[in-house]
Amino acid sequence: MANSNSFLTTPTKTPSSRRNNHSQSKMQSHSQDPATSESRSRFEAYNRLQAAAVAFGEKLPIPEIVAIGGQSDGKSSLLEALLGFRFNVREVEMGTRRPLILQMVHDVSALEPRCRFQDEDSEEYGSPMVSATAVADVIRSRTEALLRKTKAAVSPKPIVMRAEYAHSPNLTIIDTPGFVLKAKKGEPETTPDEILSMVKSLASPPHRILLFLQQSSVEWCSSLWLDAVRDIDSSFRRTIVVVSKFDNRLKEFNDRGEVDRYLSASGYLGENTRPYFVALPKDRSTVSNDEFRKQISQVDTEVIRHLREGVKGGFDEEKFRSHIGFASLRDFLESELQKRYKDAAPATLALLEQRCSEVTDDMLRMDMKIQATSDVAHLRKAAMLYTASISNHVGALIDGAANPSPEQWGKTTEEERGESGIGSWPGVCLDIKPPNAVLRLYGGAAFERVIHEFRCAAYSIECPPVSREKVANILLAHAGRGGGRGVTEASAEIARTAARSWLAPLLDTACDRLAFVLGSLFEIALERNLNQNSEYEKKAENMDGYVGFHAALRNCYSRFVKNLAKQCKQLVRHHLDSVTSPYSMACYEMDYHQGGAFGSYYKPNQASGSGSFCFELSDTGRDEPMKDQENIPPEKSKAQETTPGKGGETHITVPETPSPDQPCEIGYGLVKKEIGNGHHDGGGARKRVARMGGNRNIEPLRIQNGGGGLLFGNTDNGMKSSSAYSEICSSAAQHFARIREVLVERSVTSTLNSGFLTPCRDRLVVALGVDLFAVNDEKFMDMFVAPGAIDVLQNERQQLQKRQKILQSCLTEFKTVSRSL
């Protein structure tokens, strides 16, 4: 193989003029060979395609060789040997920063190397340069400029260099950063991991050939980076293994057996993997390009001579000779790449035709956008259709559509709480976990889950404890207004107050959570619309690029959802006010009167008027018959009943209101009536009171003797008064539960559904249309023709035009190449 391509190898001795002329004539005759010409055309076509792919970010399956290996494993020296000249690539250390794509072009007319760099973000190449120092400076400056811009230690964006030289093969190699174990001083500690990740990304595409270098001094069993290569190409089917610095290993071989075992690398690389063994000049002194190539050939010759003469028995030349020496590796790389180019040509041609068609379609759409900037009617129609489509997708998502994937776009209950910024339910200490809390839901399913979560939160709240003072204040106030239902109304008022205080924040939170669920549907509707357009190729209403319109549409949708939330908060607050109104008792209190919560407190035969002051809150004497008693000071033991008489002088003594610092020693509702000197029998008094109370019995007034308050004071009957307080609190708790049940089950759920979901189905497209399109043309066009928008569209069109031109040129070249295959 080496002999058949000897014209590529620089002679080991300084050539005479005759030999030099012979070499040049051989090169020229070879360059005129049809097969070589075809190979060159194919190589140039792929180089142009590669330049276009780098410039425009195209993902094309171009056969490429990617050089990988550890730092100091000889990648840079190998690249210089392949180029045929030195440009101080080792001093640049670009291998640790950015990839370098080397496009080597065999040009017999280039007696001196001509290097050109592709412009950043363009397919154009700069002016040729011949100075090796200038080449190194460009690589260094571009690397540092990009790393400063990105504020990173490494970058995957490659530098593309085209080298035309009479002694270079037709070969393209991507030189990658070398693997390192530890970051250099001044670099981030994550640099080794970033390099490994970047190299794996570059080497992973299946159309790329891996050129893995490892020093000969490293044993296969202790190789640090062999596992990394296995992660990329586990079977080594597209990996070329190169053992570099092979001359350092030669002195360790004593006999043929040792050499053959080492060269076979059996047990480590597999049966079908044959490594190449390469040694290059160690002398880094400045020499001419001719001398540099001569040194490479001399090293190859010395390696073969040592294996033949310096090792007992030599080595198996028939099996291993084709894999020893730099010349063998270079010939194999060039032939292998050309073979891959030829095999990939049909697929590349088909892909180019597809990309050219796509770019042409993009050009047509861009022309339509530019034309639409002056066609208001067209823009209105397209925007209306797009808005209607988004609204329909929102309705479909509410009704249960499961596209796009809920696994990607849905949210769990915990994620909804965190992303909405609402957190837990106010006043609820428990961690509410509704059914399906861990599933990723969106749309109508997520809405129903929040409704269920609200139910769980509401039913976890009980009527909070009420102080004795608060109960006394409410009960006294109701009793003072008259009526025979003081206890009932006081319990109900306690429950109503607690419901307003504790359930109102829950209602607001439920509205906010539901608004977040609906607000999240906008992004999902956009994705759903995009997927549907791609699936059915409906791109007439594609509004991509109109940033102002998309922002306005997003704002209108967000405002619509916020208004719904505001209206729903008002509606559910109205329901809360209705349920907690004193007049709403008639709707459901009969459930309690018939053995319900208030059955033991509300007595239809209780007296009205001043008789309400006679409720005994202790356990004794609750329903005892009326007894003749007199309201006497605590120190007296006998009670006398006095009733206002006809013609007698009446004196009413009102007990002094106790201060918060004094114990309450005056009985609840006690009115002391002193009537002159007249005494009437008790029967008359009872008959008079009966008429006032509507012929109802009156519970007696009990006065605690012992200095305590009658209601909840610390008296000898403290146990009984505490029982009365507990019963009032229990009554309030049951009334609170009834309010909560009526509010949650009868009012709020249906209100939230009709307040949120129905408008989204029926009124969303109208609301968005009014906000966006019910304006004059000038204001409407502000969404599309913002300052500088035309220039942006024109620049995008120019980029598309350049991309179309270069891809069309590549397509033409590949058609020509394909016809010659």
Side-chain angles (χ1 to χ4, degrees):
M1 184 177 294
N3 294 332
S4 63
N5 296 279
S6 59
F7 66 94
L8 294 175
T9 306
T10 303
T12 57
K13 297 182 179 180
T14 303
S16 63
S17 59
R18 179 182 176 184
R19 185 168 184 176
N20 192 29
N21 292 335
H22 174 74
S23 176
Q24 290 181 0
S25 63
K26 189 175 181 179
M27 292 169 59
Q28 291 173 358
S29 63
H30 192 87
S31 64
Q32 295 172 359
D33 181 68
T36 304
S37 178
E38 174 190 328
S39 175
R40 171 69 180 273
S41 299
R42 188 163 54 243
F43 180 76
E44 288 288 0
Y46 272 106
N47 273 356
R48 284 175 56 80
L49 188 59
Q50 187 179 51
V54 171
F56 297 111
E58 296 279 358
K59 301 296 183 181
L60 300 175
I62 304 172
E64 296 165 322
I65 298 175
V66 182
I68 63 176
Q71 211 168 38
S72 303
D73 277 345
K75 287 194 289 84
S76 300
S77 298
L78 179 62
L79 291 179
E80 288 182 336
L82 290 170
L83 285 167
F85 65 94
R86 282 177 172 166
F87 60 95
N88 299 324
V89 67
R90 293 178 61 177
E91 285 72 18
V92 174
E93 293 186 347
M94 84 294 186
T96 60
R97 304 299 182 96
R98 288 180 68 178
L100 176 66
I101 298 179
L102 286 174
Q103 296 177 341
M104 309 176 198
V105 180
H106 175 67
D107 186 352
V108 294
S109 65
L111 300 181
E112 292 294 331
R114 295 193 300 262
C115 298
R116 294 186 297 164
F117 286 90
Q118 183 180 343
D119 296 338
E120 301 276 19
D121 303 318
S122 172
E123 81 283 0
E124 301 294 335
Y125 286 83
S127 302
M129 57 183 67
V130 295
S131 171
T133 303
V135 171
D137 290 342
V138 170
I139 295 175
R140 184 184 297 106
S141 62
R142 288 195 177 191
T143 299
E144 293 175 352
L146 181 63
L147 295 181
R148 280 196 304 268
K149 181 179 179 181
T150 58
K151 297 181 180 179
V154 295
S155 173
K157 186 175 182 179
I159 298 173
V160 180
M161 187 183 86
R162 177 183 174 88
E164 301 168 352
Y165 194 29
H167 301 281
S168 293
N170 288 320
L171 194 64
T172 298
I173 291 184
I174 303 175
D175 184 30
T176 63
F179 300 129
V180 293
L181 293 174
K182 186 177 180 181
K184 293 167 54 178
K185 185 177 181 180
E187 290 184 340
E189 293 297 326
T190 58
T191 299
D193 294 333
E194 292 179 14
I195 292 175
L196 181 60
S197 176
M198 181 176 68
V199 171
K200 285 185 176 182
S201 176
L202 290 170
S204 293
H207 59 271
R208 287 180 171 169
I209 305 169
L210 276 63
L211 184 66
F212 172 56
L213 276 76
Q214 179 174 276
Q215 296 186 47
S216 63
S217 58
V218 178
E219 300 295 338
W220 295 115
C221 59
S222 59
S223 174
L224 295 175
W225 310 118
L226 193 60
D227 290 338
V229 177
R230 282 198 178 97
D231 291 340
I232 303 170
D233 180 23
S234 58
S235 62
F236 291 95
R237 294 184 61 180
R238 56 187 181 93
T239 301
I240 302 170
V241 180
V242 177
V243 178
S244 61
K245 305 179 182 180
F246 182 53
D247 51 336
N248 294 337
R249 188 82 182 202
L250 294 177
K251 57 185 178 182
E252 299 182 13
F253 299 138
N254 295 318
D255 56 38
R256 177 169 179 159
E258 291 181 2
V259 175
D260 291 347
R261 278 194 301 272
Y262 180 81
L263 296 178
S264 64
S266 59
Y268 297 100
L269 303 179
E271 293 297 330
N272 299 322
T273 304
R274 300 271 299 278
Y276 282 81
F277 301 88
V278 175
L280 294 171
K282 292 184 175 62
D283 184 11
R284 298 299 303 176
S285 60
T286 303
V287 295
S288 66
N289 293 333
D290 290 339
E291 185 65 25
F292 174 57
R293 293 191 300 274
K294 185 178 69 171
Q295 291 177 356
I296 295 174
S297 299
Q298 288 175 344
V299 171
D300 276 355
T301 302
E302 290 171 0
V303 168
I304 294 298
R305 182 186 299 114
H306 181 84
L307 290 174
R308 288 171 177 171
E309 302 174 1
V311 176
K312 184 179 179 180
F315 70 105
D316 190 343
E317 292 196 39
E318 182 180 355
K319 185 176 181 180
F320 300 114
R321 175 63 184 87
S322 61
H323 284 68
I324 297 176
F326 167 77
S328 299
L329 174 64
R330 184 185 63 178
D331 293 343
F332 174 77
L333 291 178
E334 189 173 13
S335 62
E336 181 67 16
L337 190 60
Q338 288 296 332
K339 179 178 178 297
R340 299 288 182 104
Y341 282 164
K342 185 174 181 178
D343 294 342
T348 304
L349 179 61
L351 184 60
L352 275 174
E353 290 177 342
Q354 177 186 343
R355 293 294 171 86
C356 287
S357 177
E358 292 173 354
V359 172
T360 301
D361 292 342
D362 292 340
M363 284 281 293
L364 291 176
R365 283 193 293 271
M366 185 59 64
D367 289 338
M368 291 175 61
K369 284 185 179 181
I370 295 175
Q371 182 183 0
T373 55
S374 58
D375 188 349
V376 180
H378 173 81
L379 273 181
R380 281 186 179 273
K381 178 182 177 181
M384 286 180 179
L385 291 173
Y386 186 84
T387 302
S389 177
I390 295 299
S391 301
N392 291 336
H393 286 306
V394 170
L397 292 168
I398 290 174
D399 291 337
N403 179 37
S405 171
E407 292 83 354
Q408 179 181 357
W409 293 91
K411 293 180 176 63
T412 64
T413 296
E414 196 65 30
E415 289 172 343
E416 282 181 5
R417 293 173 183 171
E419 295 181 22
S420 65
I422 297 173
S424 60
W425 295 88
V428 178
C429 299
L430 301 176
D431 185 16
I432 304 298
K433 293 289 187 182
N436 306 313
V438 297
L439 297 183
R440 296 185 178 276
L441 306 179
Y442 58 60
F447 189 95
E448 289 301 321
R449 184 173 63 184
V450 174
I451 292 290
H452 194 91
E453 188 180 353
F454 162 72
R455 284 198 185 99
C456 296
Y459 282 115
S460 68
I461 292 182
E462 303 293 341
C463 185
V466 184
S467 66
R468 295 174 182 270
E469 289 78 5
K470 189 171 183 178
V471 173
N473 274 274
I474 296 174
L475 187 58
L476 282 168
H478 281 279
R481 291 198 296 267
R485 299 172 56 192
V487 172
T488 302
E489 294 179 358
S491 301
E493 181 61 27
I494 292 171
R496 288 194 293 267
T497 302
R500 285 190 290 267
S501 300
W502 290 86
L503 296 181
L506 285 184
L507 296 175
D508 290 345
T509 300
C511 291
D512 291 336
R513 283 283 303 278
L514 294 174
F516 174 78
V517 169
L518 294 181
S520 302
L521 293 184
F522 185 81
E523 292 291 346
I524 304 176
L526 291 179
E527 180 67 18
R528 182 178 169 84
N529 185 68
L530 180 63
N531 292 341
Q532 187 178 39
N533 286 342
S534 301
E535 181 178 356
Y536 297 103
E537 297 182 358
K538 296 179 180 179
K539 299 185 179 180
E541 292 84 30
N542 187 357
M543 302 298 290
D544 291 347
Y546 295 118
V547 178
F549 168 73
H550 279 281
L553 178 60
R554 186 184 299 272
N555 289 336
C556 289
Y557 181 82
S558 177
R559 188 162 54 248
F560 177 79
V561 173
K562 287 181 180 179
N563 288 337
L564 290 183
K566 183 178 179 180
Q567 295 168 11
C568 284
K569 285 182 181 180
Q570 294 174 350
L571 288 173
V572 294
R573 282 297 187 99
H574 173 73
H575 286 301
L576 178 62
D577 292 340
S578 298
V579 173
T580 57
S581 170
Y583 304 103
S584 68
M585 288 289 295
C587 298
Y588 50 85
E589 70 175 351
M590 292 304 296
D591 295 340
Y592 292 92
H593 296 165
Q594 299 173 359
F598 297 116
S600 60
Y601 298 102
Y602 175 69
K603 302 293 183 182
N605 62 345
Q606 285 179 344
S608 62
S610 61
S612 64
F613 283 83
C614 299
F615 285 132
E616 175 64 62
L617 299 180
S618 63
D619 288 338
T620 60
R622 174 165 295 174
D623 292 320
E624 294 179 3
M626 183 72 176
K627 294 183 180 180
D628 294 337
Q629 292 182 345
E630 182 183 10
N631 186 9
I632 59 177
E635 62 271 9
K636 296 181 180 181
S637 61
K638 184 178 179 180
Q640 295 180 351
E641 184 181 76
T642 61
T643 306
K646 301 178 180 178
E649 183 179 0
T650 302
H651 300 279
I652 299 177
T653 303
V654 179
E656 180 183 0
T657 302
S659 69
D661 299 329
Q662 296 175 339
C664 180
E665 297 181 355
I666 307 299
Y668 166 56
L670 177 61
V671 177
K672 182 177 181 180
K673 301 176 181 179
E674 297 179 357
I675 306 175
N677 297 323
H679 296 277
H680 304 276
D681 58 18
R686 285 195 298 274
K687 192 178 294 184
R688 176 64 177 170
V689 172
R691 283 197 303 271
M692 294 174 61
N695 297 325
R696 287 181 291 182
N697 294 331
I698 302 176
E699 287 189 319
L701 178 66
R702 300 268 178 199
I703 301 177
Q704 304 293 338
N705 298 323
L710 179 63
L711 274 177
F712 313 114
N714 298 322
T715 67
D716 293 340
N717 292 328
M719 182 72 71
K720 297 179 180 180
S721 64
S722 175
S723 175
Y725 166 73
S726 300
E727 290 180 1
I728 292 175
C729 291
S730 176
S731 173
Q734 295 182 38
H735 193 93
F736 177 88
R738 180 59 176 167
I739 292 175
R740 180 185 60 195
E741 179 183 357
V742 171
L743 182 69
V744 172
E745 302 300 337
R746 299 185 187 179
S747 303
V748 172
T749 303
S750 59
T751 299
L752 292 177
N753 276 279
S754 61
F756 276 109
L757 300 186
T758 302
C760 284
R761 294 188 184 101
D762 301 340
R763 293 194 289 110
L764 176 59
V765 64
V766 177
L768 296 180
V770 170
D771 286 347
L772 293 172
F773 309 121
V775 295
N776 57 36
D777 289 346
E778 182 179 357
K779 187 173 182 181
F780 174 77
M781 291 301 292
D782 287 342
M783 294 186 293
F784 298 91
V785 191
I790 298 295
D791 295 337
V792 172
L793 292 177
Q794 292 288 359
N795 289 335
E796 290 182 8
R797 189 186 184 283
Q798 290 177 4
Q799 291 296 321
L800 282 174
Q801 193 172 18
K802 291 177 64 176
R803 182 181 172 195
Q804 183 188 40
K805 182 179 178 181
I806 189 68
L807 288 178
Q808 191 64 44
S809 174
C810 291
L811 177 61
T812 302
E813 287 190 64
F814 268 90
K815 284 182 177 180
T816 303
V817 169
S818 299
R819 283 193 292 266
S820 65
L821 292 179

